[in-house]
Amino acid sequence: MSMEELFHPLQEPMILAAAISIVVGAVVVVAGLTYFKKWGYFYKNWLSTVDHKKIGIMYIAVALLMLFRGGIDALLMRAQTAVPDNGLLDAQHYNEIFTTHGLIMILFMAMPFVIGLMNIVIPLQIGARDVAFPRLNAVSFWAFAAGCGLLNLSFIIGGSPDAGWTAYFPLASTDFSPTVGNNYYSLALQLSGIGTLLTGVNFITTIFKMRAPGMTLMKMPMFSWSILITNVIIVFAFPVLTVALALMMLDRQFGTKFFAMTDGGMDMLWANLFWVWGHPEVYIVILPAFGIFSEVIATFARKNLYGYKSMVMSMVVISLLSFLVWAHHFYTMGHGVMVNSVFSITTMAIAVPTGVKMFNWLLTMRHGKIQFTTPMLYALGFIPIFTIGGVTGVMLAMASADYQYHNTMFLVAHFHYVLIPGTVFGVLAGYHFWWPKMFGFRLNEKLGKAGFWFIAISFNVTFFPLFILGLDGYARRMYTYSASTGYGPLNMLSFIGALGLAVGFALICYNIYYSWKHMPRNEKADVWDGRSLEWATHSPVPEYNFAIVPNVSRLDEFWFAKKEGRDITAGKIEKIHMPNNTGTPFWTSGFLFLAAFFAVFSLWIPAIISMLVVFGFMALRSFENDHGRYISVEEITETEKSLRGDK
Amino acid sequence: MNKKLSLMFLAFGAIAILSGCEPLTVFNPKGPNAQTLSNTIILSIITMAVILLVVYVLFAFMLTKYRASKASADYEPPHEEGSHVLEITWTVIPIIIVAFLAIVTVKTTSSVETTPEGYDNKEPLVIYAASSNWKWHFSYPEEGIETVNYVNIPTDRPIEFKLYSFGPITSFWIPQLAGQKYAMSDMLTTIHLAADEIGSFMGRNSNFNGRGFAEMEFEAQTMTQADFDQWVSDVKANEKPLTEEKFKELLAAEHVGRSSYSSTHLDFSPAPMAHGDMDMGGMDHSDMDMSDEDMNHEDMDHSNTDAESTHSH
């Protein structure tokens, strides 16, 4: 590949501008760290940390960055289609943008945001001092970050994937996508997917083995339940992605024919493998949001969650069904009435447990005392909007009707109506809710609420017109359309909505800056008068989470203890064992990134050398004698005193 | 406010969909199969509107009645575990609704997957529709003609489109006549439809297949059987036959305009086997490789009885 080919994306002025701004941003950060002599601090406290709370914060930081990358993609797409025959983007550029928009929003925004929140909250909520494998947790994060970096690099060097986020074969094969774009696809997803799989193992173990004494599974808060189930789905679904991506790489770079048009390759095999992972993936990002809504609604309705047991049951049923519906993504493949009917019924069946949850949330508010805080607004906004997404989902599940919706804007509208109020509202509710726990100060409520209203209203303006466009025969992924189709006005409306969404997300960002400047510090630990254990410890949370691990006898133990005037964190302080920080996961993933980067360009010798370094780090680890360290009683007492404000 | 907004949009949507002066494409069917799909969709919208209404009313009720600003300062919300009666109710009612929609789905899916009702006694017209790059090839084996980027069909007669692709997966869709179906390189799929009215309808590929995807449209024109026969004989008389060389040239091109030929490509580049045959024959489908020009006619005959029967006419 010549240099000119390698850097051909930079010939596009918009990409060049983006690349320059990234370089300038990086230079500013590096210069800043050097000028303020913060390299040591940065390395010690962040790059080499194994603290689940800091890892969680880094996940969320990356997710927010990616929200903006994916959001700019979205704005460009809406701008391009705002008027007929628009020339803002050419077909190639548009194809790359909708491909990376999908990939980034699902895999590098929604999922890391969820994983970030669970990293921060789960150990606290189950009364644990750490996750089961703290060092593995750092490996997970850095592997994910490497994948994320690789995918974002693609748009500067060599060209982004352009075959859609589903990368259907044979379109994604070298016959029809000869650039390195889809090599980036297979390798970037592989890296971050492995990170996610490790997280799955880590959190299942954490939740099963590290709950506070007395906390049986049925006394666990709903968010913890949702995360447990999510991680079970991860562990079952992600290996399928790993295999599919490996086969994709073999097909693209080693000339095998698993998914090819010739020599017995089966293009629909890719579609099956992709959706066997891809459909559960939808629930991987949405079940945690259901957990967050359960916590937020219970907290701000000031009531316990209605129908706890049926909430847990419904989530288990959803997780099982999530593996039985993948073929609804290609009803139109022609696999006959029988297969289509079976998948129609399993798909529609998901509406039943989801409905159960919906009504339980509504009934949780009955006889309550509802406070309209920012997180609560997101949880409440979710209900009416997500219901539209849900009912259109049932409509799409009907195989016959789907022959008309498939691949149209109707589908696009549907999944945005599910994923934005579901996942995005969910993580934003969680983000506003747990922010004081992370940083010790609140986000400004006025700005938070303004952000919510901008997002909620603009969201409907953006996506409702797409339902109508879809029913008018507007196929998705068309970079342009002619004026005679009449699609212009509704597309323009949708673009205006997208601008409103951009304002909403900008407000959320501005709120970080504003609150950091102006909001009072040393907020009390239990800011919202919460119900679960994370509110029993200090804000910000000390490294060891709980000086005394609380005993639990019932669901919402902390809430009842408060009512009864008990302190569940009282007791004799003993020394606490904690893992040592280590830079190895960071450096290992650095070399993993290099290996993948070389592999994208089929430079196998440097790729193998980088991989050998990775294996070297692993081998070294097996000889390492790292038993962690103890935090002394004095130090804990000191920390506790200062965090309490020493009353 | 947000809820009101959603309701407003829903109302607008319903108005646009159900009563608008110019109905949306999908709700403006011109054939029995598209009509079935349109009815199914309208039925599901009405059913879903009822569910939406229930949720919205309940939601509005909870928010207005139980807001903190309306409660007295010392009001302590009670502890409520849940209610078996209520929980069973909102499990069973959705199950009934889903069961109802499932029956509708199975019925309508099987009805659009066969010759439309009322047309059973008529001989179907078989048309092979193949995609390559960003164009469509239509072969009429019975008539022995082929067109590119437009298809003419007679009204009041069942039509069977046999779909396949010379490249990425595409999806063949004429929304006013039938729902879409994939065209793939290694298997044949079938769309059944019939047209009730004379007119010109938009047809397109709706599955993303690369750079020229947005422009991958064709015109489907319906006409009386007499006009259709006239058109066929005109093509037969006036157009050149499709040579293998010309066809290769067409395949390689990205976009082309309309054209017509007095023979089909099926003779030298037959369609793959029908979907479903794969499981039965246990055959090695490497001999179905379509890029293989040497493939002889027998390969097709044993794989595709439909094609065989139409050839023998």
Side-chain angles (χ1 to χ4, degrees):
Chain A
M1 199 176 232
S2 70
M3 286 309 264
E4 199 185 328
E5 254 181 292
L6 208 58
F7 290 102
H8 77 88
L10 292 178
Q11 286 157 12
E12 192 80 35
M14 261 185 292
I15 290 179
L16 184 65
I20 290 172
S21 63
I22 289 172
V23 172
V24 170
V27 169
V28 168
V29 170
V30 170
L33 284 172
T34 315
Y35 181 78
F36 293 107
K37 300 199 170 60
K38 288 283 186 194
W39 275 111
Y41 163 84
F42 191 56
Y43 185 78
K44 233 179 94 192
N45 283 283
W46 295 96
L47 300 188
S48 66
T49 188
V50 292
D51 184 339
H52 67 92
K53 301 175 285 291
K54 286 186 172 157
I55 289 174
I57 289 170
M58 290 193 288
Y59 263 116
I60 292 175
V62 175
L64 278 176
L65 269 179
M66 287 304 108
L67 177 67
F68 281 84
R69 158 80 216 268
I72 289 168
D73 285 348
L75 268 184
L76 282 172
M77 279 191 278
R78 289 284 105 219
Q80 164 65 22
T81 52
V83 289
D85 300 312
N86 196 357
L88 177 69
L89 305 173
D90 59 20
Q92 178 61 26
H93 199 179
Y94 188 83
N95 298 345
E96 291 184 8
I97 282 180
F98 76 67
T99 301
T100 50
H101 169 76
L103 281 175
I104 283 185
M105 286 306 205
I106 296 283
L107 285 145
F108 299 103
M109 190 286 284
M111 218 169 44
F113 214 136
V114 162
I115 292 176
L117 287 173
M118 85 186 182
N119 257 292
I120 292 163
V121 178
I122 288 302
L124 298 174
Q125 203 167 58
I126 61 172
R129 289 217 167 104
D130 209 334
V131 294
F133 310 110
R135 185 160 166 155
L136 189 71
N137 204 18
V139 174
S140 298
F141 171 74
W142 290 110
F144 151 74
C148 183
L150 195 64
L151 186 72
N152 280 284
L153 194 63
S154 73
F155 94 116
I156 303 174
I157 302 176
S160 286
D162 57 357
W165 87 285
T166 50
Y168 273 16
F169 274 79
L171 179 61
S173 70
T174 41
D175 296 345
F176 300 99
S177 300
T179 68
V180 294
N182 280 289
N183 298 354
Y184 270 116
Y185 178 103
S186 67
L187 284 150
L189 263 60
Q190 191 68 283
L191 285 193
S192 63
I194 287 167
T196 307
L197 186 55
L198 295 178
T199 296
V201 173
N202 205 344
F203 277 83
I204 291 175
T205 319
T206 305
I207 293 174
F208 274 136
K209 303 298 274 185
M210 297 178 69
R211 275 166 289 133
M215 185 185 276
T216 57
L217 285 174
M218 290 310 280
K219 287 174 188 151
M220 208 160 65
M222 194 50 66
F223 180 63
S224 298
W225 255 113
S226 72
I227 292 299
L228 174 62
I229 293 169
T230 301
N231 283 295
V232 171
I233 301 180
I234 287 178
V235 168
F236 278 95
F238 267 78
V240 182
L241 179 71
T242 307
V243 170
L245 290 171
L247 297 182
M248 178 184 194
M249 183 173 146
L250 288 173
D251 260 18
R252 285 189 56 87
Q253 295 184 271
F254 295 93
T256 59
K257 305 266 182 188
F258 291 105
F259 311 124
M261 289 164 62
T262 54
D263 299 323
M266 293 164 76
D267 44 10
M268 288 312 288
L269 176 62
W270 166 265
N272 275 286
L273 289 176
F274 181 86
W275 286 115
V276 166
W277 161 79
H279 197 85
E281 169 68 15
V282 175
Y283 293 91
I284 292 170
V285 296
I286 214 148
L287 287 181
F290 286 177
I292 295 169
F293 292 134
S294 302
E295 302 289 319
V296 168
I297 290 176
T299 303
F300 297 110
R302 318 201 55 72
K303 272 189 69 207
N304 62 317
L305 193 64
Y306 195 84
Y308 174 84
K309 279 182 197 154
S310 60
M311 289 295 247
V312 173
M313 268 311 292
S314 64
M315 256 191 305
V316 173
V317 172
I318 291 174
S319 73
L320 293 174
L321 286 173
S322 76
F323 283 94
L324 301 175
V325 301
W326 78 91
H328 72 212
H329 293 272
F330 37 86
Y331 281 144
T332 61
M333 169 201 170
H335 40 195
V337 179
M338 184 62 192
V339 174
N340 276 353
S341 300
V342 168
F343 280 95
S344 270
I345 293 166
T346 52
T347 307
M348 282 192 267
I350 292 186
V352 176
T354 313
V356 168
K357 303 187 79 65
M358 209 47 113
F359 287 111
N360 275 323
W361 285 318
L362 286 170
L363 269 280
T364 300
M365 292 191 284
R366 188 178 63 163
H367 303 146
K369 203 173 176 184
I370 303 169
Q371 296 166 311
F372 296 92
T373 58
T374 310
M376 186 62 165
L377 283 181
Y378 281 107
L380 292 175
F382 153 81
I383 292 175
I385 305 180
F386 183 84
T387 310
I388 297 181
V391 296
T392 50
V394 174
M395 288 166 68
L396 275 154
M398 301 173 75
S400 52
D402 182 65
Y403 293 174
Q404 293 285 28
Y405 308 130
H406 187 68
N407 275 328
T408 68
M409 279 297 178
F410 188 91
L411 167 76
V412 174
H414 156 72
F415 69 68
H416 283 90
Y417 261 87
V418 179
L419 284 171
I420 292 186
T423 303
V424 179
F425 282 22
V427 292
L428 287 178
Y431 158 92
H432 285 91
F433 187 54
W434 286 305
W435 180 277
K437 190 82 327 210
M438 296 181 235
F439 299 105
F441 63 93
R442 284 188 212 222
L443 289 167
N444 182 277
E445 278 286 299
K446 238 189 190 134
L447 282 172
K449 286 179 186 170
F452 165 77
W453 285 111
F454 259 102
I455 290 174
I457 293 171
S458 312
F459 166 79
N460 286 293
V461 178
T462 311
F463 292 100
F464 203 89
L466 303 190
F467 282 123
I468 300 167
L469 282 172
L471 291 171
D472 206 14
Y474 183 17
R476 70 195 287 210
R477 294 172 168 174
M478 279 163 46
Y479 85 104
T480 191
Y481 52 90
S482 70
S484 62
T485 54
Y487 301 151
L490 284 175
N491 267 306
M492 179 51 91
L493 184 63
S494 174
F495 173 57
I496 294 168
L499 290 176
L501 275 172
V503 173
F505 288 113
L507 276 174
I508 287 176
C509 266
Y510 175 67
N511 200 1
I512 300 178
Y513 170 78
Y514 179 89
S515 307
W516 176 62
K517 276 270 189 215
H518 300 293
M519 294 301 280
R521 298 306 140 114
N522 301 322
E523 199 54 83
K524 62 179 185 220
D526 184 18
V527 246
W528 309 112
D529 197 7
R531 313 182 69 84
S532 42
L533 289 182
E534 72 267 32
W535 306 107
T537 178
H538 311 281
S539 301
V541 186
E543 189 191 358
Y544 48 79
N545 295 356
F546 296 93
I548 305 287
V549 173
N551 267 297
V552 175
S553 63
R554 58 200 291 194
L555 182 65
D556 292 339
E557 173 80 26
F558 176 59
W559 173 264
F560 290 107
K562 271 193 293 188
K563 298 289 136 194
E564 295 156 16
R566 277 188 289 129
D567 179 8
I568 59 167
T569 56
K572 189 171 169 293
I573 290 174
E574 283 169 42
K575 64 178 180 177
I576 296 172
H577 182 254
M578 294 303 287
N580 285 324
N581 278 0
T582 164
T584 326
F586 173 74
W587 296 111
T588 313
S589 295
F591 281 95
L592 212 49
F593 172 86
L594 279 183
F597 178 74
F598 290 128
V600 165
F601 295 94
S602 304
L603 300 168
W604 300 113
I605 305 287
I608 288 168
I609 294 171
S610 311
M611 257 342 262
L612 286 177
V613 179
V614 171
F615 288 127
F617 273 121
M618 288 182 186
L620 218 67
R621 169 64 173 156
S622 68
F623 294 109
E624 210 177 334
N625 251 330
D626 180 358
H627 297 298
R629 69 204 152 83
Y630 280 98
I631 305 179
S632 67
V633 176
E634 296 77 55
E635 199 185 323
I636 298 165
T637 324
E638 210 44 50
T639 316
E640 288 290 306
K641 263 187 191 164
S642 82
L643 282 170
R644 263 199 309 270
D646 199 18
K647 271 171 267 180
Chain B
M1 182 175 168
N2 169 40
K3 171 182 53 63
K4 271 188 210 147
L5 197 88
S6 316
L7 270 175
M8 206 169 71
F9 271 113
L10 196 77
F12 275 134
I15 290 163
I17 289 162
L18 298 171
S19 71
C21 42
E22 203 181 319
L24 299 172
T25 312
V26 165
F27 297 121
N28 190 15
K30 300 296 181 194
N33 279 358
Q35 183 70 56
T36 306
L37 297 181
S38 173
N39 294 345
T40 309
I41 293 171
I42 290 171
L43 175 78
S44 69
I45 289 178
I46 294 168
T47 317
M48 292 300 123
V50 174
I51 294 172
L52 270 186
L53 190 74
V54 172
V55 172
Y56 280 25
V57 166
L58 210 56
F59 180 68
F61 173 75
M62 296 301 172
L63 286 198
T64 45
K65 185 126 190 255
Y66 299 110
R67 47 204 310 151
S69 53
K70 282 183 76 180
S72 63
D74 58 349
Y75 173 63
E76 275 287 328
H79 182 86
E80 289 179 337
E81 286 291 341
S83 148
H84 287 304
V85 179
L86 281 176
E87 284 165 59
I88 289 169
T89 313
W90 62 57
T91 310
V92 172
I93 293 177
I95 287 177
I96 294 169
I97 296 172
V98 164
F100 163 68
L101 290 177
I103 293 167
V104 172
T105 305
V106 175
K107 276 193 152 166
T108 53
T109 308
S110 59
S111 101
V112 297
E113 288 284 6
T114 51
T115 308
E117 220 171 297
Y119 290 79
D120 313 326
N121 50 358
K122 290 178 185 161
E123 179 73 17
L125 173 66
V126 175
I127 304 171
Y128 282 74
S131 61
S132 72
N133 281 340
W134 301 295
K135 54 194 164 306
W136 288 97
H137 310 262
F138 297 97
S139 308
Y140 297 72
E142 204 175 325
E143 287 73 15
I145 60 167
E146 176 151 333
T147 62
V148 176
N149 283 340
Y150 79 100
V151 61
N152 285 353
I153 52 178
T155 51
D156 297 319
R157 183 175 169 187
I159 317 282
E160 281 179 26
F161 278 102
K162 304 278 179 195
L163 311 172
Y164 60 105
S165 167
F166 289 97
I169 299 169
T170 53
S171 193
F172 179 90
W173 190 30
I174 311 171
Q176 286 181 274
L177 296 182
Q180 61 193 293
K181 197 157 277 180
Y182 282 179
M184 292 162 287
S185 60
D186 52 353
M187 57 182 96
L188 203 63
T189 50
T190 307
I191 281 192
H192 298 266
L193 58 84
D196 290 336
E197 279 180 43
I198 290 166
S200 158
F201 305 107
M202 182 269 283
R204 65 164 298 117
N205 163 29
S206 66
N207 193 61
F208 177 67
N209 66 335
R211 208 166 54 249
F213 166 67
E215 291 93 10
M216 194 170 168
E217 285 189 356
F218 61 90
E219 186 191 359
Q221 203 157 7
T222 57
M223 49 188 67
T224 61
Q225 184 70 44
D227 285 347
F228 178 76
D229 293 339
Q230 180 63 44
W231 170 73
V232 170
S233 55
D234 281 353
V235 171
K236 279 238 132 346
N238 301 329
E239 303 293 346
K240 287 188 195 133
L242 181 60
T243 61
E244 201 166 342
E245 199 179 341
K246 174 70 189 165
F247 184 63
K248 273 191 201 160
E249 206 177 292
L250 272 178
L251 282 186
E254 302 210 327
H255 289 285
V256 295
R258 298 174 178 209
S259 51
S260 318
Y261 304 93
S262 57
S263 70
T264 77
H265 73 261
L266 295 170
D267 300 327
F268 47 80
S269 178
M273 67 184 132
H275 189 248
D277 286 3
M278 220 163 32
D279 319 319
M280 293 184 264
M283 79 167 106
D284 171 15
H285 75 212
S286 61
D287 59 353
M288 291 288 108
D289 174 7
M290 296 195 323
S291 61
D292 184 359
E293 287 103 34
D294 300 334
M295 194 159 82
N296 55 34
H297 204 227
E298 278 100 64
D299 279 325
M300 186 174 95
D301 285 347
H302 79 254
S303 67
N304 190 331
T305 47
D306 281 332
E308 197 179 313
S309 63
T310 47
H311 273 280
S312 61
H313 277 295

